[in-house]
Amino acid sequence: MNKKNFYITTTSSYVNADPHIGYALELLQADVIARFKKLIGYDVAFGYGSDEHGLKIYKKALEEHKNPQEYCDEKVKKFIELKKLLNLSSTHYMRSTDPFHVKAAQEFWNRCYASDDIYKKNYKIKYCYGCELEKTDSELENGVCPIHPNLKIENYEEENYFFRFSKYQKKLLEFYKKNKDFVIPTYRLKEIETFVKKGLEDFSVSRLKSKMPWGVEVPNDPDHVMYVWFDALVYYISTLGWPIRLTEYQKFWPGVQTAGKDNLRQQSAIWQVMLMSAQLPNTKQIFIHGFITSEGQKMSKSLGNVIDPIQLVRQYGIDAVRYYLLKEIPATADGNFSHSRMKEIYNADLANGLGNLVARVAKLAENNKYYILTTDFQKIINNCTKYKNALEEFSFNDALAFIWTKVTSANKEIDNEKPWELKKDRLQKVLEPLINQIIEIAILLQPFLPETSEKIVKQFSAAEIKSATPLFPRLV
């Protein structure tokens, strides 16, 4: 029987700054879904990548007296290293400066141009340097972008190529109506529907090369480079080999995209009409997550409260960081990170809860043989409907809450039975179900805490169970 195919991808990260905790969250959410789908029998592709063109990159490179490619080559290393740092199961990585992607973006442009959706005109715009997006007066608050209020809105007047966004209002609304679960959560779908219903304005898809040379060259017009968002969005399919290696592209596209709430318009409207114009299938589904605050405040360099995921992993360990972000940060809303809460959750849930359960049972079971029911990941997950449904709906914290009811239940059973007081025959009858419960817990944890899951399964499915070093030593 042929496996079902599943593709999930994050947004491509902009390399003008080091990786931040919000992007780490996005990668981990995608990783959980990728691992979950693989466990229940799918052939999975999981991609992420880097967005390396545009004005911000160009300015940063000039500030550091480097050519833009040299600047990107240095910066991208930390993003590529996130795979190992966060223990990601990713299968694909694409840089927007990769020659393959450049050719894909140019082919995509040609298809939109052939559909009469790209034309040239003179125009004036208000432009947010932080978003790298044009802004209408209605999108500004007191003359500034609400997402980047510290940045001055810039005014441009020049000749550019435009995309006929206005042409697709009706088609987009029909698409949303037919695909009620296209955007998760549903209130984000209503948000983008409201935006589209107000009317769409054509948007610029090029920049004059003489003013901003760092971008993909427009086909047949060397005086222009592509606007960074047009080029970057094509990454979702160039990652899969489009338009040349079509076997893999056709196997996995359309797929699922994850993105932050500030990317809603680009992912669920702009990219979708671009696909329609190029006569390619639309995205299957888009999952939108919120932002992370630091100790209750918006993160900023001036406040000195920016959280570095690399330092976080070094301090607490990868699975502890994965657990906090996936449990404590709401799946679709804003959440907060604090070191005090991190330590509280670590000690309560990981050290005292899961870690203590594993250590106690291993010690009691040491040097004895026990009957293990199954280590079949797919069978165990299929029997846990509540857990499975939570992950199908991207409810990461609900799935973890389901697992921890089992952890709590097993610990209570130990406290009630007091197996350390039992004779060997009775001890075996108590421990065997507990061992199987621990294996089940470990398997359900695999998408979330893969390293911990592997350790527990290996320890408890061995011919003889042995004690081991604590999974999560208590923090003081």
Side-chain angles (χ1 to χ4, degrees), residues 37-106:
K37 289 291 186 178
K38 189 173 182 180
L39 287 179
I40 59 173
Y42 284 76
D43 193 357
V44 175
F46 166 24
Y48 77 111
S50 46
D51 179 5
E52 302 175 26
H53 291 126
L55 184 60
K56 284 193 281 190
I57 297 288
Y58 184 60
K59 283 186 174 181
K60 281 285 188 180
L62 292 181
E63 285 172 15
E64 297 187 17
H65 307 290
K66 296 172 183 174
N67 71 58
Q69 187 63 62
E70 179 188 6
Y71 173 87
C72 291
D73 289 345
E74 290 178 5
K75 286 290 185 180
V76 78
K77 290 175 184 176
K78 285 189 176 181
F79 291 89
I80 293 172
E81 288 167 1
L82 287 175
K83 177 173 181 175
K84 183 178 180 181
L85 177 85
L86 300 175
N87 195 6
L88 303 176
S89 59
S90 58
T91 56
H92 296 67
Y93 190 95
M94 177 60 76
R95 298 179 60 179
S96 66
T97 54
D98 188 305
F100 186 93
H101 171 81
V102 170
K103 289 178 182 177
Q106 290 173 328

Side-chain angles (χ1 to χ4, degrees), residues 274-290:
M274 285 169 60
L275 287 165
M276 291 172 184
S277 176
Q279 299 179 40
L280 296 171
N282 286 97
T283 305
K284 185 183 292 182
Q285 192 173 50
I286 299 172
F287 168 72
I288 300 291
H289 63 82

Side-chain angles (χ1 to χ4, degrees), residues 126 128 135-146 153:
K126 293 179 178 178
C128 173
K135 297 290 180 177
T136 62
D137 288 335
S138 63
E139 292 176 292
L140 302 177
E141 295 177 6
N142 300 316
V144 298
C145 170
I153 290 295

Side-chain angles (χ1 to χ4, degrees), residues 333-353:
D334 294 350
N336 182 57
F337 178 86
S338 78
H339 285 280
S340 60
R341 181 64 177 152
M342 176 80 199
K343 290 172 183 176
E344 180 186 340
I345 286 177
Y346 179 105
N347 284 331
D349 293 4
L350 299 177
N352 294 349

